[in-house]
């Protein structure tokens, strides 16, 4: 499964969420750090270094460091960065333990060996967590995210109803060629791709709040994982409805990905803006607004390469 | 069909193009009987409005007979005689519903480009650049009229083309220019520009109760029209200092309201100032030549209204913001919301309160459009308004 399928949608609604491991390790850091600062004595005995005069200062210092990592992992914005600081901390602990082991024997040495084994295990987990957080971040960095809104002079219920019928979407989403509903939640999308090719996927509605909001996402297996949410909020001053859209999609990496990204819009923002403008036109005026130089309505491409403002060639009928 | 096409700077040509067809259910096709050349067309002709393409059909003032309607146009029928407002307006957006038709939120399919220049997009306009929609204009034999269920006004037979076509733009525009002045009894109004818009703004100011109206221009024949048909007193800015004269006429107060009916191609009596703006406009550092606007602000009574119907497209230099701010002036402006004036102004014409066709100086067949443009541009042969007929 493409990892983005698991993170894309929640991410559109709330601040970045990562796989659970880094955060769990963060809590571990907090617990360890707190006990090291508050009660260095028992910890020193447990690990077998209670004979060292330095233990009383070194252990609380390590505890403070651990608290730092823990806070970073639990509350920080970039867990992958903090996960690597934990790995660095582990390395430091391991070398301290190795050094302590050289001049100890018997029960103390046994305890130190056990501690070293535990820390080594934690280090392995930390490396894993750091790697996975990094992967999630890189996918996220490729995600194209768009927030856009338009005000439509219709009630939230009318705007919702039109959008909820997914087969209406191609009327105003210029790159979407067709949407076929499979059942109440699922639909099949056909989107214009590079060089006349098509990209297709199935999508499902994952959250449906009548007259208020709709959220959908592509099902696993699409080359362009994507998700979106649209909200219908009454506009202040009796001006209809604020239609607020959040979209995200992940173009595949590599050359194919770049081509797909281009088709989805060299200026994805402009494309979504134009889509919303057409949505407004269709709801308010009943049709996409066409001029002689833009007979198919707004489109980014057409705005750059307009035909002259003359009637279309004879026989043109729509 | 034959249509007047923009071929580049200072060049129009009547060419053959396909007949228009219905593209949307709310469209109508109109066979044009009379159309007019406007001061706004001059801005396109001179290349001061961006986003024109060779072959664009010009013209936004037209009327004629409905020959075809889309399935959702129920108020019109083939055979109806109509005048068509120049702004294209959907009738259903918030702006349209509040009567602000020229800022219709839906009618510009190229709103994306307009937003980049103006922040938000105004309405689309017939034959007025790709910035405002890329709609084919009405200096042609036929035109496609979008939102035909909202815009066009059916005309009674007794109102001749010559009067009716004034409703497409210049009469409502002049009227709105005067209306924005919020004229109270006893007030004095000054109008810059004695073109069709300025003349009809002056006449409208009288209709709306202005005590005295002053019109400023440099063409004696246009100033004569202002005196004879708009009840105005006139100032030739090449003969006398405008600010001094206005102060004298208003006993030092300044006019209560000042109307700019000149727009972005203003001329200035002082050669040096004129050259300053001309050069900057020529190299596109400044997009407008705004001497009339500057003067209107300086002339206006403190607390008065500056009403701007002259057209601007971009940015203005040396705007006297200090005078504007310190003297509590108000500026009101806009492309005319023609749709909301059609019926009341038609009624004023029918009641004989005004005959707006007094501004018309030339009538010629459509095929002579290029000649009409030259005459109007050069103000030859006392040209004040050119009508083109089928
Ligand atoms: N707001 C609208 O909806 C709307 C509609 C139509 C036209 N317009 C604009 O109104 C303006 C006038 O249109 P028109 O058809 O009457 O054009 P026009 O070219 O016939 O008239 C302009 C007049 O202004 C005079 N003038 C130039 N510089 C002057 C100055 N410094 N002081 C006084 N007069 C000066 C010219 O001599 C000319 O007579 C144009 O800018 C046009 O684009 C606006
Ligand atoms: Zn005009
Ligand atoms: Zn509208």
């Amino acid at each position: 499964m493409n990892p983005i399928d698991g993170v894309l949608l929640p991410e559109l609604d709330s601040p970045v969420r990562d796989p659970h491991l880094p955060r769990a390790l963060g809590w571990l850091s907090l617990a360890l750090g707190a006990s090291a600062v508050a009660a260095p004595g028992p910890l020193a005995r447990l690990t077998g270094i209670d004979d060292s005069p330095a233990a009383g200062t070194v252990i609380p210092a390590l505890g403070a460091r651990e608290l730092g990592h823990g806070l970073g992992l639990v509350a920080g914005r970039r867990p992958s960065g903090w996960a690597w600081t934990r790995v660095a901390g582990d390395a430091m602990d391991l070398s301290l333990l190795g050094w302590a082991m050289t001049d100890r024997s018997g029960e103390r040495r046994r305890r130190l060996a056990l501690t070293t084994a535990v820390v080594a295990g934690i280090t392995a987990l930390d490396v894993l967590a750091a790697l996975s957080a990094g992967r999630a971040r890189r996918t996220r960095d490729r995600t194209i995210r768009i927030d856009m809104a338009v005000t439509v002079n219709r009630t939230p219920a009318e705007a919702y109803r039109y959008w909820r019928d997914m087969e209406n979407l191609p009327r105003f989403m210029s790159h979407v060629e067709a949407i076929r509903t499979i059942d109440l939640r699922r639909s099949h999308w056909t989107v214009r791709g590079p060089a006349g090719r098509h990209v297709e996927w199935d999508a499902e509605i994952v959250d449906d709040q009548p007259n208020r909001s709709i959220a959908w996402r592509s099902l696993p297996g699409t080359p362009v994982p994507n998700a979106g949410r649209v909200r219908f909020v009454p506009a202040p001053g009796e001006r209809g409805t604020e239609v607020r859209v959040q979209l995200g999609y992940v173009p595949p990496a590599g050359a194919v990905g770049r081509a797909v990204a281009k088709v989805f819009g060299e200026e994805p923002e402009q494309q979504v803006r134009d889509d919303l403008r057409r949505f407004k036109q269709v709801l308010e005026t009943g049709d996409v607004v066409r001029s002689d130089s833009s007979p198919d309505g707004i489109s980014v491409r057409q705005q750059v390469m307009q035909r002259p403002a003359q009637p279309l060639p004879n026989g043109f009928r729509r | 069909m034959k249509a007047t096409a923009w071929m580049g700077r200072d060049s129009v040509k009547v060419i053959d193009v396909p007949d228009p067809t219905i593209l949307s259910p709310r469209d109508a096709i109109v066979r044009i009987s009379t159309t007019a050349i406007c001061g706004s067309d001059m801005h396109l002709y001179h290349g001061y409005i961006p986003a024109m393409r060779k072959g664009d059909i010009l013209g936004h003032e037209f009327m004629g007979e409905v020959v075809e309607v889309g399935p959702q146009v129920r108020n019109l029928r083939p055979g109806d005689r109509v005048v068509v407002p120049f702004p294209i307006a959907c009738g259903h957006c918030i702006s349209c519903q509040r009567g602000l038709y020229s800022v219709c939120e839906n009618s510009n399919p190229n709103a994306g480009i307009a937003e980049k220049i103006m922040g938000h997009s105004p309405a689309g306009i017939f034959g007025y650049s790709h910035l405002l929609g890329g709609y084919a204009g009405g200096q042609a034999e036929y035109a496609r009229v979008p939102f035909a269920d909202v815009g066009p006004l059916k005309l009674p037979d007794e109102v001749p083309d010559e009067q009716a076509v004034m409703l497409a733009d210049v009469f409502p525009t002049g009227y709105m220019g005067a209306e924005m002045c919020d004229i109270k009894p006893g007030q004095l109004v000054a109008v810059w520009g004695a073109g069709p818009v300025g003349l009809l703004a002056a006449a409208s100011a009288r209709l709306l109760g202005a005590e005295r109206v002053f019109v400023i221009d440099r063409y004696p024949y246009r100033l004569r029209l202002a005196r004879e048909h708009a009840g105005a007193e006139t100032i030739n800015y090449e003969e006398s200092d405008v600010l001094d004269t206005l102060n004298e006429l208003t006993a030092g107060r300044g006019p209560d309201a000042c109307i700019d009916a000149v727009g972005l191609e203003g001329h200035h009596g002082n050669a040096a100032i004129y050259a300053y703006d001309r050069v900057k406009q020529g190299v596109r550092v400044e997009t407008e030549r705004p001497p009339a606007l500057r003067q209107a602000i300086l002339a206006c009574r403190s607390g008065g209204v500056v009403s701007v119907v002259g057209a601007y497209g971009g940015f203005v230099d040396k705007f006297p913001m200090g005078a504007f701010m310190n003297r509590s002036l108000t500026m009101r402006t806009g492309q005319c919301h023609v749709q909301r004036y059609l019926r009341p102004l038609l009624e004023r014409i029918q009641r004989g309160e005004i005959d707006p066709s007094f501004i018309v100086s030339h009538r010629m067949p459509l095929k002579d459009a290029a000649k009409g443009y030259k005459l109007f541009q050069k103000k030859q042969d006392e040209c004040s308004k050119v009508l083109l007929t089928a």
Side-chain angles (χ1 to χ4, degrees):
Chain A
M1 189 182 94
N2 192 323
I4 198 64
D5 283 337
V7 292
L8 183 60
L9 195 63
E11 208 192 310
L12 288 172
D13 295 325
S14 55
V16 172
R17 270 238 311 273
D18 267 280
H20 298 302
L21 187 56
R23 236 163 268 270
L25 290 168
W27 286 109
L28 179 66
S29 281
L30 284 181
L32 271 177
S35 66
V37 171
L43 198 62
R45 267 192 303 283
L46 190 71
T47 51
I49 54 169
D50 51 324
D51 58 339
S52 163
T57 49
V58 170
I59 289 184
L62 294 180
R65 183 204 73 198
E66 237 8 63
L67 282 177
H69 297 169
L71 280 175
L73 277 165
V74 170
R77 297 182 127 266
R78 276 196 43 188
S80 75
W82 287 103
W84 285 113
T85 69
R86 260 192 66 96
V87 174
D90 294 339
M92 179 175 169
D93 292 351
L94 285 173
S95 61
L96 281 174
L97 286 164
W99 179 66
M101 204 125 58
T102 52
D103 56 355
R104 283 185 176 77
S105 56
E107 174 61 12
R108 287 216 166 82
R109 192 182 166 95
R110 210 180 56 75
R111 285 190 187 175
L112 270 170
L114 193 68
T115 309
T116 306
V118 169
V119 172
I122 290 178
T123 306
L125 269 182
D126 282 342
V127 170
L128 211 70
L131 284 175
S132 89
R135 230 178 356 253
R137 182 174 51 76
R138 278 192 301 282
T139 314
R140 216 166 37 239
D141 287 350
R142 260 196 305 131
T143 306
I144 295 175
R145 231 178 308 266
I146 296 159
D147 281 78
M148 201 79 69
V150 71
T151 304
V152 176
N153 192 17
R154 288 276 178 259
T155 63
E158 289 167 314
Y160 165 86
R161 216 173 304 132
Y162 192 84
W163 199 299
R164 181 62 182 80
D165 181 355
M166 300 302 258
E167 296 193 357
N168 281 331
L169 303 190
R171 259 192 101 183
F172 63 90
M173 294 183 172
S174 65
H175 59 279
V176 180
E177 200 163 276
I179 296 180
R180 181 169 47 80
T181 50
I182 300 169
D183 55 36
L184 268 180
R185 302 188 78 76
R186 287 179 310 141
S187 51
H188 182 79
W189 295 51
T190 308
V191 169
R192 259 176 285 274
R197 281 193 319 213
H198 290 116
V199 186
E200 304 195 18
W201 65 78
D202 286 342
E204 63 171 348
I205 290 180
V206 288
D207 182 30
D208 183 7
Q209 302 169 31
N211 307 338
R212 290 180 50 199
S213 143
I214 306 166
W216 67 96
R217 54 184 269 175
S218 57
L219 293 173
T222 157
V224 192
N226 65 86
R229 179 186 287 283
V230 55
R231 280 173 231 273
F232 308 95
V233 186
E238 296 186 2
R239 277 174 291 194
T241 302
E242 292 176 0
V243 178
R244 301 190 162 275
V245 170
Q246 295 173 293
L247 284 180
Y249 61 91
V250 191
V256 181
R258 277 193 295 280
V260 172
K262 256 196 165 161
V263 171
F264 266 59
E266 281 149 303
E267 267 195 280
E269 303 253 328
Q270 185 65 47
Q271 195 152 81
V272 176
R273 195 187 302 284
D274 288 342
D275 283 352
L276 287 184
R277 215 192 302 278
R278 271 187 295 266
F279 177 70
K280 176 179 168 74
Q281 290 173 349
V282 170
L283 258 86
E284 291 184 351
T285 81
D287 195 7
V288 164
V289 175
R290 311 165 198 286
S291 74
D292 310 84
S293 54
S294 304
D296 295 314
I298 294 164
S299 105
V300 187
R301 200 162 24 97
Q302 243 168 14
Q303 292 185 2
V304 187
M305 322 199 342
Q306 298 242 315
R307 55 187 308 282
Q310 288 182 2
L312 293 142
N314 272 326
F316 181 93
R317 289 275 160 182
R318 121 177 336 277
Chain B
M1 68 165 180
K2 300 240 175 288
T4 309
W6 187 85
M7 303 305 282
R9 234 165 149 170
D10 286 346
S11 167
V12 302
K13 197 171 158 194
V14 176
I15 60 172
D16 279 304
V17 297
D19 288 351
T21 51
I22 302 263
L23 297 183
S24 270
R26 293 173 62 194
D27 288 353
I29 306 293
V30 171
R31 184 194 300 130
I32 293 160
S33 56
T34 300
T35 169
I37 300 172
C38 176
S40 300
D41 294 326
M42 288 297 122
H43 306 324
L44 304 173
Y45 192 49
H46 297 147
Y48 287 124
I49 303 287
M52 289 294 290
R53 278 190 66 116
K54 188 172 173 187
D56 285 349
I57 298 175
L58 297 171
H60 56 271
E61 303 181 4
F62 60 95
M63 60 172 295
E65 184 192 322
V66 174
V67 292
E68 193 183 343
V69 294
Q72 283 174 28
V73 181
R74 305 210 175 79
N75 56 321
L76 297 178
R77 242 180 266 170
D80 285 345
R81 183 166 165 262
V82 294
V83 58
V84 178
F86 80 83
I88 299 170
C90 78
H92 295 296
C93 67
I94 289 283
S95 297
C96 283
Q97 288 190 345
R98 299 191 176 175
L100 301 171
Y101 295 95
S102 75
V103 289
C104 170
E105 297 157 30
N106 288 315
S107 63
N108 184 0
N110 298 335
I113 324 177
E115 275 174 358
K116 294 213 163 66
I117 300 179
M118 301 191 198
H120 300 275
S121 174
I125 293 182
F126 290 103
Y128 214 72
S129 89
H130 294 253
L131 192 67
L132 298 183
Y135 288 96
Q139 287 160 7
E141 289 178 311
Y142 293 89
R144 177 181 77 99
V145 178
F147 308 124
D149 54 336
V150 171
L153 176 72
K154 263 198 264 188
L155 294 162
D157 291 342
E158 69 270 17
V159 177
D161 272 27
E162 220 163 88
Q163 290 182 342
V165 77
M166 297 296 123
L167 290 169
D169 176 351
V170 287
F171 184 22
T173 298
Y175 188 89
M176 183 168 113
E179 195 184 61
M180 289 190 296
C181 296
D182 202 7
I183 297 166
K184 309 263 175 357
Q187 289 199 330
L188 315 182
V189 176
V191 181
W192 275 255
V197 172
L199 290 168
L200 287 164
S204 300
R206 290 311 296 266
L207 279 180
L208 291 170
E211 179 85 18
R212 292 167 76 186
V213 175
F214 315 114
V215 172
I216 301 136
D217 205 308
R218 70 179 162 133
Y219 293 102
Y221 73 94
R222 292 187 167 206
L223 292 172
R224 182 164 24 84
L225 287 172
R227 287 192 300 275
E228 290 175 1
H229 295 275
E233 298 158 65
T234 59
I235 303 171
N236 186 327
Y237 67 84
E238 287 193 322
E239 289 166 4
S240 34
D241 183 277
V242 175
L243 293 181
D244 283 354
T245 312
L246 284 172
N247 274 331
E248 200 181 299
L249 288 164
T250 61
R253 300 187 304 275
D256 297 290
C258 292
I259 301 175
D260 170 359
V262 175
L264 64 90
E265 293 189 70
H267 166 266
H268 198 284
N270 179 318
I273 295 178
Y274 183 59
Y276 169 87
D277 286 314
R278 198 94 223 199
V279 168
K280 289 192 90 170
Q281 193 180 37
V283 298
R284 301 297 191 268
V285 174
E286 173 182 47
T287 54
E288 335 286 49
R289 285 191 327 252
L293 178 59
R294 292 186 192 124
Q295 209 169 47
I297 289 170
L298 294 178
C300 194
R301 145 170 83 75
S302 291
V305 177
V306 179
S307 159
V308 183
V309 282
Y312 292 86
F315 303 90
V316 151
D317 262 15
K318 303 276 184 292
F319 182 85
M321 194 61 204
F324 189 73
M325 183 269 160
N326 285 285
R327 299 202 295 105
S328 287
L329 299 182
T330 298
M331 186 184 288
R332 300 189 61 190
T333 184
Q335 296 283 359
C336 183
H337 308 295
V338 176
Q339 282 82 341
R340 85 179 178 211
Y341 297 101
L342 283 178
R343 221 166 270 283
L345 294 188
L346 174 67
E347 282 163 15
R348 282 190 189 263
I349 293 174
Q350 285 179 297
R351 288 198 298 265
E353 291 171 27
I354 182 170
D355 173 4
S357 66
F358 75 84
I359 61 168
V360 177
S361 59
H362 291 74
R363 300 151 188 88
M364 56 188 75
L366 177 66
K367 67 175 171 50
D368 292 341
K371 186 176 129 206
Y373 269 79
K374 270 274 159 324
L375 277 176
F376 189 62
Q377 175 195 33
K378 305 266 185 229
K379 318 272 192 297
Q380 287 162 350
D381 193 22
E382 304 213 331
C383 183
S384 54
K385 185 82 178 171
V386 179
L387 301 188
L388 304 170
T389 49

